[in-house]
Amino acid sequence: MKNILKIILIGAGGVIVIIGGLYFLVLKGVISVNIFPNARTLYTGYVKIEPILLSEIKIKLEAQGCRVLGKKYENNNTRLCRYGETIVEYDKKNGLEIWPQGMGFGPGFIIYMTSDKIWAEKDIFGSPDSSKFKDSVRRDVSKIGNIVSIKENTWKITKTKYPWTVIY
């Protein structure tokens, strides 16, 4: 009787460890499992860029038609891109918050740029997949004219939340 109970407990413990391990791998985006078909994933992370002065970034943004938040312009610029100075909360450094597609509500509309990193929080449909986060940040950099050079081997996703089922 004791041996049977011991085998059952070891088996149950093994199953719990396996399920816990798979759950961790899904949360980290190593394994893609879409058990919540309408859920989204919230990513927070950064990528390093070639060092550049913030003043140079501002000049390049203005040249691309991106406008300073709260500043009135005479011309009829139809470009939606906006930016403003800020302290980037992830690094506690001076930086810029940039809305490549214009102002919006919720995560995914803003990228934060310091002189050496781009930080982003992205709300993306589907199960965790780090390539979706990277592609979204690359699209944002493209929308502002590829004014910085991404160091491709420096991507770091610092937080992943799945399922992310917030309604905006």
Side-chain angles (χ1 to χ4, degrees), residues 9-156:
L9 289 175
I10 289 173
V15 169
I16 289 171
V17 168
I18 291 170
I19 290 172
L22 289 173
Y23 180 73
F24 176 77
L25 292 173
V26 168
L27 285 179
K28 292 298 177 187
V30 176
I31 297 174
S32 181
V33 178
N34 195 0
I35 56 174
F36 303 99
N38 293 323
R40 301 183 309 263
T41 303
L42 181 66
Y43 304 88
T44 303
Y46 67 87
V47 64
K48 291 184 180 179
I49 57 174
E50 294 296 331
I52 185 171
L53 296 173
L54 290 178
S55 58
E56 289 180 51
I57 296 171
K58 290 180 197 177
I59 291 168
K60 290 180 177 186
L61 285 170
E62 288 278 337
Q64 293 292 327
C66 196
R67 301 298 185 212
V68 178
L69 286 170
K71 185 175 177 184
K72 293 191 179 195
Y73 291 90
E74 299 278 328
N75 63 356
N76 293 328
N77 180 12
T78 57
R79 187 105 189 217
L80 296 174
C81 177
R82 298 288 181 265
Y83 76 94
E85 293 183 24
T86 190
I87 301 291
V88 177
E89 66 181 86
Y90 308 107
D91 266 353
K92 306 294 186 230
K93 291 183 181 177
N94 289 334
L96 300 172
E97 53 187 352
I98 304 168
W99 285 267
Q101 309 170 84
M103 304 291 282
F105 182 73
F109 291 97
I110 305 171
I111 58 174
Y112 299 94
M113 198 176 293
T114 64
S115 60
D116 63 346
K117 283 182 189 168
I118 297 173
W119 281 91
E121 187 174 63
K122 297 289 184 178
D123 179 359
I124 301 172
F125 281 100
S127 57
D129 180 354
S130 62
S131 63
K132 291 178 184 177
F133 173 78
K134 293 174 185 178
D135 290 342
S136 180
V137 173
R138 284 189 198 107
R139 275 193 305 276
D140 285 345
V141 171
S142 175
K143 287 177 184 172
I144 59 172
N146 291 311
I147 62 172
V148 294
S149 298
I150 292 175
K151 294 181 178 179
E152 284 297 331
N153 61 342
T154 63
W155 289 96
K156 175 78 174 166

Side-chain angles (χ1 to χ4, degrees), residues 1-8:
M1 182 71 166
K2 284 185 177 182
N3 286 340
I4 293 174
L5 184 59
K6 190 176 186 180
I7 291 171
I8 291 172

